[in-house]
Amino acid sequence: MAPPLEPTGDERQQLQAEEGEVVTGEEENKDAEWCYQWPVFRFDRAPRRLYHFRQQFMAGDSPGCNFFKGVKWSPDGSCFLTSSDDNTLRLFYLPEDAFTDRAECTAADIDGPDSYVSSLIVGEAETVYDYCWFPYMSASDPATCVFASTTRDHPIHLWDANSGQLRCTYRAYDAMDEITAALSVCFNTSGSKLFAGYNKFLRVFDVHRPGREFQQHSLLKGNDGPSGIVSSIAFSPTHTGMLAIGSYSQMTAIYSEDNMELLYVLHGQLGGVTQVLFSKDGNYLYTGGRKDPYILCWDIRNTIGIVYQLYRSSEHTNQRISFDIEPCGRHLGTGGEDGLVHIYDLQTGEWATSFQAASDTVNGFSFHPSLPLAASSSGNRRFDLLDNVEEKLSFSGDQNCASVWSFSGSLELGHDAAITDEALDSGDVSQGLGLNPRPGMTTSNWNKKALEGKVGIPTGSRKKMMPAALIEEILLMTASSATLQRRKGRLRWLSLITSDSYSILSATPLVVGEREAVGDVPIMAISAM
């Protein structure tokens, strides 16, 4: 949760003068230097390859037999986890210069040695089906530094991300009292339950009670649910209690977490569903399939049809190709067989840009949760032909590799990105704010609603203190209403209340031009996608 922002400069001085307080110049200077930081990606410029990893994955007698299968950032952004075909999970911590001096770092050499070695190597006995981070993982709290993995013919393992030791196991048994392996795993949003997908079943483990105790839910109640193997699980990030399940039967289902009531069933994927992912506001669901060249966008408030399709080159491979949404929720990135990472604008569903990440299949792509960084992984299985048994497979530096990319961007709001009084007078509100109307709403209608006081617009001295991306993120997370009221004749205070009855950001000073905006004001003019 972002810290509440307080008035500064002349506004604070006036308010404190009315209350009998004195503001010193030193306090005012400290306040002016403070600014909320939020990652802002610029996709109009090609990213730089900041770090590169390949050599440590090519060791062994058959280097061509190993390849990457995915990459995932930790929730706190301190490290990322990779999975490879040698049944190994490797953890890489970000160097200190990645947080401070990215602009001064030179681009990584793809043909040279690895940028640095992995900090932790966890070897599994069989093929790794899936893995996931504990949602509240923080490097400053060792108790939370864990991740779960599931492998063939083995129970679910919970690993310590610091020592690599096995914390505990979660075991499911079939009717013959034999251990059955989960095909997908995911923690719920509170981190108290571990959901595991099986063939036609979903089993739920209590994180604090490892062992063989679990709740089992059949997905074929009433013959309406998805059949086949549960390949992917995702929870809505807005704590609405909804979870999405993708299966290899080309079906996606949305359930209520509390009672596992089936809410929606989505059809339309050409191949078996390999990934499901909610948008940042929880109103949209994105699904991708095996040998399916399109990522489908669904509006869960109206599931009668597909909103739009996002193309990626994946129609000729059985590999699982993952995609991710950047922290602000505006863009989606996905890999493909062509070695490109495609970036799409989720508000319009249009292609934004692409860049060459590898010369083979990019099967994993993940945005950093708090910095303008992203990680990619590439590779595919290769076979030695009998006629060329004496010849060894050779690879270029950008094949079977993992890379960390640095995007151009700014973590602070400058003068160019701020809303100005002139923009308010001219009506060009959305452009100055960096916000965009929801699909189907024209910019002029959006501006009209903004000028009528239907949305919160920062002006005056606040324009340097609140990033446009933060305003957008706050407004996207709100449920139904906002309360605007005057205070001291100068400030209006915006209190955003969610459907969960807790405040996302309270007592935040925002100004709505010079117009009156008193009472309960709907803000439905802004939507996430």
Side-chain angles (χ1 to χ4, degrees):
M1 181 185 299
L5 301 177
E6 299 181 354
T8 58
D10 297 337
E11 295 171 351
R12 163 173 277 193
Q13 189 172 1
Q14 178 177 345
L15 289 176
Q16 293 184 343
E18 294 176 1
E19 298 172 0
E21 299 179 6
V22 179
V23 181
T24 63
E26 182 179 355
E27 292 176 350
E28 185 174 345
N29 291 335
K30 290 182 179 180
D31 230 358
E33 293 175 357
W34 182 89
C35 183
Y36 183 88
Q37 292 189 340
W38 193 260
V40 178
F41 289 81
R42 289 193 59 180
F43 296 109
D44 56 341
R45 299 180 182 178
R48 292 188 303 114
R49 196 190 301 263
L50 203 60
Y51 307 109
H52 188 65
F53 312 94
R54 186 177 72 97
Q55 300 294 340
Q56 52 195 302
F57 297 89
M58 306 300 290
D61 298 333
S62 302
C65 296
N66 191 27
F67 61 94
F68 281 96
K69 302 173 75 173
V71 58
K72 294 182 180 180
W73 286 101
S74 62
D76 68 343
S78 62
C79 56
F80 61 91
L81 194 64
T82 66
S83 173
S84 52
D85 196 55
D86 59 354
N87 309 331
T88 301
L89 298 168
R90 292 176 173 87
L91 187 142
F92 296 84
Y93 277 96
L94 274 182
E96 184 178 353
D97 55 7
F99 297 92
T100 57
D101 303 320
R102 289 189 306 276
E104 300 179 1
C105 295
T106 59
D109 183 9
I110 62 176
D111 294 318
D114 291 355
S115 299
Y116 53 91
V117 298
S118 58
S119 303
L120 182 69
I121 299 178
V122 174
E124 292 279 14
E126 293 287 348
T127 301
V128 178
Y129 287 141
D130 196 11
Y131 59 101
C132 65
W133 285 98
F134 180 68
Y136 296 100
M137 180 270 180
S138 175
S140 60
D141 185 2
T144 64
C145 294
V146 294
F147 60 89
S149 66
T150 177
T151 59
R152 184 174 59 188
D153 299 332
H154 283 72
I156 299 172
H157 294 156
L158 189 69
W159 298 97
D160 190 310
N162 289 326
S163 63
Q165 298 297 316
L166 182 64
R167 289 267 188 102
C168 59
T169 63
Y170 303 92
R171 304 186 298 274
Y173 291 82
D174 57 15
M176 304 299 294
D177 202 35
E178 296 179 349
I179 289 181
T180 176
L183 279 301
S184 56
V185 289
C186 184
F187 289 95
N188 63 352
T189 51
S190 65
S192 60
K193 303 289 185 181
L194 181 61
F195 284 67
Y198 296 82
N199 187 11
K200 302 177 184 179
F201 289 97
L202 191 71
R203 294 180 171 95
V204 183
F205 298 88
D206 190 329
V207 173
H208 303 288
R209 302 186 67 180
R212 61 180 299 168
E213 296 184 11
F214 56 85
Q215 296 178 352
Q216 181 170 289
H217 303 278
S218 174
L219 302 181
L220 296 179
K221 294 180 180 179
N223 296 323
D224 294 329
S227 60
I229 295 174
V230 177
S231 58
S232 179
I233 306 172
F235 285 84
S236 174
T238 55
H239 298 268
T240 57
M242 288 191 298
L243 69 148
I245 293 175
S247 74
Y248 286 142
S249 62
Q250 304 177 4
M251 298 173 59
T252 302
I254 299 177
Y255 289 85
S256 173
E257 179 185 350
D258 296 334
N259 53 12
M260 287 304 296
E261 177 187 359
L262 179 62
L263 303 178
Y264 311 105
V265 177
L266 308 177
H267 300 270
Q269 213 75 52
L270 300 179
V273 179
T274 56
Q275 185 180 2
V276 292
L277 181 65
F278 279 94
S279 61
K280 297 300 182 180
D281 69 338
N283 290 331
Y284 295 85
L285 181 70
Y286 297 89
T287 63
R290 174 173 292 172
K291 278 195 171 183
D292 190 339
Y294 294 103
I295 298 173
L296 307 183
C297 173
W298 305 86
D299 189 337
I300 62 174
R301 300 163 296 183
N302 182 15
T303 59
I304 194 171
I306 301 170
V307 180
Y308 53 72
Q309 299 177 338
L310 309 177
Y311 175 78
R312 60 177 179 176
S313 176
S314 60
E315 58 267 37
H316 303 298
T317 180
N318 283 316
Q319 283 184 273
R320 181 193 297 251
I321 298 178
S322 65
F323 54 87
D324 194 21
I325 298 175
E326 49 102 354
C328 291
R330 176 66 183 272
H331 296 88
L332 179 147
T334 178
E337 292 179 273
D338 52 6
L340 295 173
V341 171
H342 295 279
I343 307 295
Y344 287 92
D345 189 326
L346 296 183
Q347 287 190 336
T348 62
E350 297 180 355
W351 176 86
T353 186
S354 62
F355 65 92
Q356 191 76 38
S359 59
D360 54 359
T361 303
V362 177
N363 50 42
F365 186 76
S366 178
F367 284 106
H368 192 279
S370 59
L371 293 174
L373 300 174
S376 66
S377 63
S378 69
N380 55 272
R381 181 174 283 108
R382 292 170 171 82
F383 300 94
D384 291 328
L385 298 179
L386 294 178
D387 295 339
N388 301 324
V389 68
E390 296 181 357
E391 297 181 7
K392 292 185 178 181
L393 291 174
S394 60
F395 300 92
S396 61
D398 58 350
Q399 291 180 322
N400 281 12
C401 63
S403 300
V404 175
W405 302 88
S406 175
F407 288 85
S408 299
S410 174
L411 292 177
E412 297 184 1
L413 181 66
H415 298 278
D416 297 337
I419 182 69
T420 62
D421 296 332
E422 291 76 8
L424 273 175
D425 296 335
S426 64
D428 194 8
V429 176
S430 61
Q431 180 179 359
L433 256 181
L435 303 179
N436 288 275
R438 63 184 301 178
M441 174 177 288
T442 62
T443 304
S444 59
N445 290 338
W446 193 96
N447 290 333
K448 181 180 179 181
K449 289 182 178 292
L451 293 175
E452 289 174 353
K454 300 282 182 74
V455 294
I457 306 298
T459 61
S461 63
R462 296 302 304 168
K463 67 186 179 183
K464 300 178 182 178
M465 300 301 299
M466 177 166 284
L470 174 59
I471 298 171
E472 183 176 15
E473 184 71 5
I474 295 170
L475 294 178
L476 299 185
M477 289 190 296
T478 56
S480 59
S481 65
T483 301
L484 296 172
Q485 59 184 4
R486 294 181 63 91
R487 177 181 178 182
K488 305 289 186 181
R490 268 188 70 84
L491 295 177
R492 282 84 166 175
W493 298 83
L494 178 63
S495 180
L496 305 178
I497 308 300
T498 70
S499 58
D500 293 30
S501 299
Y502 65 88
S503 176
I504 284 185
L505 184 61
S506 60
T508 301
L510 294 179
V511 183
V512 189
E514 298 298 331
R515 297 161 177 79
E516 299 291 335
V518 183
D520 292 337
V521 181
I523 58 168
M524 299 304 292
I526 296 183
S527 178
M529 305 302 171

